């Protein structure tokens, strides 16, 4: 049994990401689970543009006292695993451009994901041969619009329609939705705690786990951090990463206190450790409201 934190190494972890990591650690450790770290670095273009980020993310987590079990896993080392999962699934080639899908009649779901209209689902082999010349094919799984439900610890049942989503992009990159399900299954992760922005992917991922003969994990989607303007916390909000904050003289211990205080687990200025928070942590008491961060308030105590 294990929980995990699985950052993409494309930007430094900000206070919201760090709070999610702390929550994932608390959920795992308070239930006797291992805690794993996984670097989700399949998008090689974005990763190359952000060299050294994975190392900084790991360093920041360690500085907060968020420890982990086993070796840190990198998705870029695990392509054979995704390939063999792909071989077990009913997939078909899709030649649609983003624009063609955007121009199709279907309205986006609430999360902005536009359900695939099925354009390439029933092409003949002759059609495919002709299309392949025009554009490298993505691979989509034949899900056929099934409705799927899984349970979230904070939100209860999460239900959604599963469209024929992409498992491998036209450039050969395995899709997040495939890799995350394969890895959680292969690593024995049975508890997924992550930001609320990913809640809408639950039906897709739980369905895919089921298709691969895996037991879907339990989910907890935790609140995002937002800036004073209510938008998702970002660089424009000021000092929001450990590096920014260190530049202002804020220590990792003080960052941890800020995170714990935002969860009602510490008093402002109190010295805490992650392990010291375990007795205070009650998942049932977690708020679902976003955490409003006023960056210049995160100060040395
Ligand atoms: N790598 C994803 C992210 O950075 C998280 C994946 C997950 O937790 O399922 O947002
Ligand atoms: Zn298509």
């Amino acid at each position: 049994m294990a929980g995990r934190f699985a950052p993409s190494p494309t930007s430094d972890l900000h206070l919201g990401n760090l709070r999610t990591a702390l929550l994932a650690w608390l959920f795992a450790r308070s239930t006797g689970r291992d805690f794993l770290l996984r670097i989700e670095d399949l998008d090689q273009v974005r990763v190359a543009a952000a060299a050294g980020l994975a190392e900084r993310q790991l360093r920041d987590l360690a500085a907060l006292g968020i420890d982990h079990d086993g070796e840190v896993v990198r998705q870029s080392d695990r392509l054979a695993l995704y390939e063999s999962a792909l071989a077990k699934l009913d997939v078909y080639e899709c030649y649609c451009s983003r624009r063609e899908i955007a121009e199709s009649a279907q309205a986006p779901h609430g999360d902005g994901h536009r359900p695939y209209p099925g354009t390439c689902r029933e092409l003949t082999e002759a059609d495919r041969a002709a299309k392949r010349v025009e554009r490298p094919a993505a691979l989509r799984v034949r899900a056929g619009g099934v409705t799927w439900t899984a349970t979230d610890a904070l939100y209860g049942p999460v239900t959604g329609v599963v469209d024929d989503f992409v498992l491998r992009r036209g450039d050969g990159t395995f899709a997040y939705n495939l890799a995350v399900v394969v890895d959680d299954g292969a690593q024995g992760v049975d508890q997924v705690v992550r930001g609320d922005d990913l809640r809408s992917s639950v039906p897709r991922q739980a369905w895919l786990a089921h298709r691969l003969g895996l037991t879907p994990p339990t989910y907890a989607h935790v609140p995002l951090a937002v800036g004073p303007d209510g938008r998702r916390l970002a660089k424009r909000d000021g000092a929001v990463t450990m590096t920014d904050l260190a530049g202002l003289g804020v220590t990792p211990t003080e960052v941890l206190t800020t995170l714990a205080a935002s969860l009602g687990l510490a008093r402002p200025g109190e010295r805490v450790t992650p392990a010291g928070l375990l007795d205070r942590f009650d998942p049932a008491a977690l708020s679902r409201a976003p955490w409003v961060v006023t960056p210049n308030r995160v100060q040395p105590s």
Side-chain angles (χ1 to χ4, degrees), residues 4 6-8 38 40 176 180 184 192-194 197-198 205:
R4 47 66 159 187
S8 302
R38 183 171 72 230
E40 303 211 319
Y176 156 68
V180 76
D184 285 340
V192 168
V193 178
R194 61 189 177 192
D197 52 331
L198 291 168
Q205 294 177 6

Side-chain angles (χ1 to χ4, degrees), residues 1-289:
M1 295 205 314
R4 47 66 159 187
F5 183 62
S8 302
T10 50
S11 60
D12 277 313
L13 299 173
H14 62 48
L15 290 165
N17 307 133
L18 296 167
R19 189 181 191 246
T20 298
L22 175 62
L23 281 170
W25 186 94
L26 288 167
F27 266 94
R29 295 292 189 223
S30 66
T31 51
R33 286 178 165 85
D34 281 353
F35 186 66
L36 312 180
L37 294 179
R38 183 171 72 230
I39 302 293
E40 303 211 319
D41 60 351
L42 288 179
D43 190 334
Q44 287 297 309
V45 177
R46 292 179 66 198
V47 168
L53 260 163
E55 290 64 34
R56 286 222 298 279
Q57 293 180 328
L58 296 173
R59 185 199 63 193
D60 289 348
L61 295 171
L64 290 178
I66 296 177
D67 62 3
H68 64 94
D69 296 291
E71 297 216 356
V72 177
V73 156
R74 284 171 199 261
Q75 289 189 325
S76 55
D77 293 334
R78 299 163 69 82
L79 304 186
L81 219 57
Y82 313 135
E83 194 65 61
S84 67
L86 205 53
K88 293 184 198 149
L89 293 163
D90 184 5
V91 300
Y92 63 89
E93 293 187 0
C94 167
Y95 315 91
C96 299
S97 67
R98 221 167 264 193
R99 161 182 264 162
E100 281 161 350
I101 294 170
E103 284 169 355
S104 76
Q106 307 217 20
H109 289 165
D111 61 347
H113 176 78
R114 214 174 267 273
Y116 180 63
T119 320
C120 303
R121 194 184 292 142
E122 309 298 344
L123 295 181
T124 64
E125 194 42 53
D127 294 335
R128 293 184 206 283
K131 294 260 191 190
R132 250 176 233 139
V133 187
E134 292 169 29
R135 188 177 293 127
L139 291 179
R140 291 183 180 271
V141 67
R142 214 177 282 274
V146 62
T147 298
W148 207 258
T149 301
T151 303
D152 183 282
L154 276 74
Y155 289 89
V158 180
T159 299
V161 175
V162 182
D163 70 340
D164 292 352
F165 56 99
V166 170
L167 299 184
R168 200 180 71 196
R169 300 197 315 224
D171 66 2
T173 305
F174 292 104
Y176 156 68
N177 280 310
L178 173 68
V180 76
V181 169
V182 169
D183 281 335
D184 285 340
Q187 295 187 276
V189 169
D190 66 339
Q191 179 190 60
V192 168
V193 178
R194 61 189 177 192
D196 196 29
D197 52 331
L198 291 168
R199 180 161 35 112
S200 60
S201 63
V202 161
R204 236 170 276 147
Q205 294 177 6
W207 173 83
L208 187 60
H210 174 79
R211 277 315 274 269
L212 287 168
L214 304 165
T215 308
T218 64
Y219 295 95
H221 288 83
V222 300
L224 300 179
V226 297
D229 58 2
R231 289 193 289 166
R232 261 191 224 181
L233 193 67
K235 264 199 187 81
R236 63 169 178 269
D237 293 311
V240 294
T241 68
M242 302 271 289
T243 304
D244 298 340
L245 289 162
L248 299 178
V250 181
T251 66
T253 311
E254 287 159 347
V255 174
L256 183 66
T257 298
T258 299
L259 301 177
S262 80
L263 294 164
L265 302 177
R267 291 181 313 281
E270 182 185 358
R271 269 188 91 86
V272 292
T273 60
L277 300 175
L278 282 172
D279 281 348
R280 307 177 184 182
F281 177 61
D282 173 12
L286 256 182
S287 163
R288 287 183 293 179

